[in-house]
Amino acid sequence: MKNCRIIFVLIFFLGFSIAFDCSITEDGSFPAYGQCPGPTARARLRASNLDVSNGGCPATTVMYYPEDDMSLPSKCGECIPGKTFVDDSTALCAVDEFCSDEGKCVKMKQSVFHGKYCPYEAGGATKNGICGPGLRCIQHMCLPCRSGEKRSNGLACVANSWTLDPYTSYLVSPPGMVAVCNAVLLLVFLFILVGIKRENKKLKND
């Protein structure tokens, strides 16, 4: 009986492996959908074959072609040059960064064009614009955004820089500034009140 169970298990797993051929094909591509048991198995296959899934780049980097020209040798970087979170939410840099030509995430304020004069805004992806990745020509000056501007994905422009921090966005808004002023006035009033009470107590003791 025990031997029958072992044989049954072996037959089951043999049939399972035949039904799901989740492996790299002979031409070096990934198997068609339906050939892996599920998304986790396919993800495991990608992770163990980065030479195929990531162009041979390490897991901490991404493969890209300079200016998307596939006739040029591919390179590895921490991001894809020209991409920004504002243009593409799949970008690998922070909301206030752009990907440099070297595949590095750089603060938009460090761009050679930041704060420079410009003639017009070209529209479309910023990497194709006159101010370079991450910047727009706003009132003849290259800046990430116009203060007060908001996006449906939660982005807010504070002091001409993008942020996803709701608290920062609120504090610089008119209601937020009023709340801060009221808080400061309340603190000043409390300090004055405490000072008066201490002075009255001192006079009574004298």
Side-chain angles (χ1 to χ4, degrees):
M1 187 69 178
K2 186 176 181 181
N3 291 335
C4 291
R5 289 180 180 178
I6 294 173
I7 293 171
F8 175 78
V9 171
L10 289 173
I11 293 173
F12 174 80
F13 279 106
L14 179 63
F16 186 83
S17 61
I18 293 173
F20 295 104
D21 186 16
C22 190
S23 59
I24 300 297
T25 60
E26 292 182 359
D27 63 357
S29 59
F30 283 93
Y33 282 94
Q35 291 300 307
C36 292
T40 302
R42 185 172 292 274
R44 189 180 293 113
L45 183 66
R46 290 195 187 99
S48 60
N49 292 275
L50 291 178
D51 56 327
V52 178
S53 62
N54 200 31
C57 295
T60 54
T61 62
V62 63
M63 186 270 288
Y64 69 89
Y65 293 97
E67 289 204 294
D68 298 327
D69 188 348
M70 297 183 69
S71 66
L72 297 174
S74 64
K75 293 185 177 182
C76 301
E78 64 178 351
C79 54
I80 298 176
K83 277 201 171 189
T84 66
F85 185 91
V86 178
D87 293 330
D88 185 354
S89 60
T90 63
L92 300 169
C93 297
V95 295
D96 60 342
E97 295 177 335
F98 73 95
C99 190
S100 68
D101 293 352
E102 293 74 34
K104 299 287 185 181
C105 291
V106 180
K107 294 291 185 183
M108 291 181 186
K109 289 184 178 180
Q110 295 179 9
S111 169
V112 294
F113 294 105
H114 188 276
K116 303 294 183 182
Y117 290 112
C118 52
Y120 57 84
E121 169 55 38
T126 56
K127 69 175 184 178
N128 301 321
I130 200 165
C131 291
L135 303 177
R136 299 282 186 190
C137 188
I138 300 172
Q139 294 180 327
H140 295 293
M141 185 169 288
C142 291
L143 296 168
C145 55
R146 192 188 305 271
S147 291
E149 182 181 353
K150 292 185 178 181
R151 297 284 181 86
S152 58
N153 59 359
L155 282 172
C157 186
V158 177
N160 296 117
S161 293
W162 287 113
T163 180
L164 279 170
D165 183 5
Y167 299 105
T168 302
S169 178
Y170 174 74
L171 287 176
V172 297
S173 66
M177 294 179 71
V178 170
V180 170
C181 289
N182 288 337
V184 171
L185 290 174
L186 180 60
L187 286 174
V188 171
F189 174 76
L190 289 175
F191 276 119
I192 293 173
L193 187 62
V194 170
I196 292 173
K197 285 185 176 181
R198 285 181 178 177
E199 190 64 27
N200 289 338
K201 187 176 181 180
K202 185 178 178 181
L203 290 173
K204 286 180 179 180
N205 292 334
D206 293 340

